[in-house]
Every structure is written in C-alpha cells, then in structure tokens.
C-alpha cells in the first residue's frame, strides 16, 4: 500500500491532482484507520491508464464516464468498448494531423536551410 505522496511521486502528478481525481470519482483509494488515502498496485495501474487517456486529449468528463462504467461492472463492457474505440479514432486523427504538420514544418526547415546555405560563403568559392 502506498500513501498519496508516494503515488504522486511515482507517477509524476501532484497530490492535488490525485485528490481531484478522487473528488471526480475517477479513482477511489482505500483509507486506513486514520483516514489517510492508501493506494494499491491496481490503483497505480489504473492511474497510469487515466494519465494516458488524459495525455491523448480525452476530456475529463469522458474519463469520468469511463470510470463510472468500470465501477458499474461487466454489463457495461459494450459501452466501455465503444468509448475507447471512439477515443482511438480521435488519437488516429491527432496522429494524422501531427504527421501533416510535421511534413509542413520539414518543408519550411528545408527551405530555410537552403536559403542560409546559399547566403553563406562556401569554402570551395574562396579557395
């Protein structure tokens, strides 16, 4: 079992973020006898998944919806699958957009480098 501070450090988020996720019922940690939050390895795995969803631009509302469905049980499997497939399509769109942008940037970089090479005196011209 891990404390909130240990978990925050392990996964690279603030304790404030973990408390927010708890408030939103995205995660529900255990409590010890004194009321301190205690996290199991399964909580860590869940949080890492949640962070990946967040990193790939899934809105908190959708993450919360997914967490609610998980807690409801196996009868929500179809809904969870649909939600994840929708997010996967969003990620694919993001990737296509990033690839297109990267090509555009590479073209600009190539243009600037060619311009700078033409402007600077070359060694072969001076010898």
């Amino acid at each position: 079992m891990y404390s909130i501070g240990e978990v925050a450090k392990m996964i690279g988020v603030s304790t404030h973020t973990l408390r927010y996720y708890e408030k939103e019922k995205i995660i529900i940690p255990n409590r010890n006898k004194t009321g301190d939050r205690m996290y199991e390895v399964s909580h860590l795995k869940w949080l890492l998944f949640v962070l990946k969803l967040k990193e790939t631009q899934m809105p908190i509302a959708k993450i919360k919806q997914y967490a609610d469905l998980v807690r409801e049980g196996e009868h929500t499997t179809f809904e969870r699958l649909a939600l994840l497939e929708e997010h996967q399509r969003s990620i694919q769109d993001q990737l296509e957009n990033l690839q297109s942008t990267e090509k555009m940037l590479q073209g600009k970089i190539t243009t600037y480098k060619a311009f700078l090479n033409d402007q600077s005196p070359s060694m072969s011209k001076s010898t």
Side-chain angles (χ1 to χ4, degrees), residues 9-46:
K9 191 173 188 177
M10 281 191 278
I11 65 171
V13 299
S14 68
T15 56
H16 174 78
T17 297
L18 293 174
R19 287 185 192 99
Y20 172 74
Y21 286 165
E22 181 180 359
K23 178 181 161 256
E24 293 297 320
K25 298 195 177 356
I26 291 170
I27 188 161
I28 302 173
N30 301 328
R31 298 281 182 152
N32 65 15
K33 291 179 182 178
T34 60
D36 296 325
R37 293 166 181 85
M38 298 303 294
Y39 297 84
E40 299 178 15
V41 172
S42 61
H43 291 119
L44 294 173
K45 289 179 181 178
W46 172 250

Side-chain angles (χ1 to χ4, degrees), residues 24-78:
E24 293 297 320
K25 298 195 177 356
I26 291 170
I27 188 161
I28 302 173
N30 301 328
R31 298 281 182 152
N32 65 15
K33 291 179 182 178
T34 60
D36 296 325
R37 293 166 181 85
M38 298 303 294
Y39 297 84
E40 299 178 15
V41 172
S42 61
H43 291 119
L44 294 173
K45 289 179 181 178
W46 172 250
L47 284 166
L48 290 171
F49 180 65
V50 166
L51 292 175
K52 284 296 176 191
L53 295 176
K54 186 76 180 117
E55 287 174 10
T56 55
Q57 310 305 310
M58 180 182 272
I60 287 291
K62 286 283 187 186
I63 295 172
K64 185 177 175 355
Q65 179 185 1
Y66 183 79
D68 291 343
L69 290 170
V70 169
R71 273 192 303 284
E72 285 183 40
E74 288 186 22
H75 70 278
T76 65
T77 300
F78 180 78

Side-chain angles (χ1 to χ4, degrees), residues 78-101:
F78 180 78
E79 292 170 271
R80 286 184 271 161
L81 174 62
L83 197 146
L84 292 178
E85 287 176 334
E86 177 186 334
H87 186 60
Q88 184 179 39
R89 285 188 295 276
S90 171
I91 290 170
Q92 289 166 343
D93 290 344
Q94 290 175 53
L95 285 169
E96 289 172 14
N97 186 34
L98 287 171
Q99 289 170 340
S100 170
T101 302

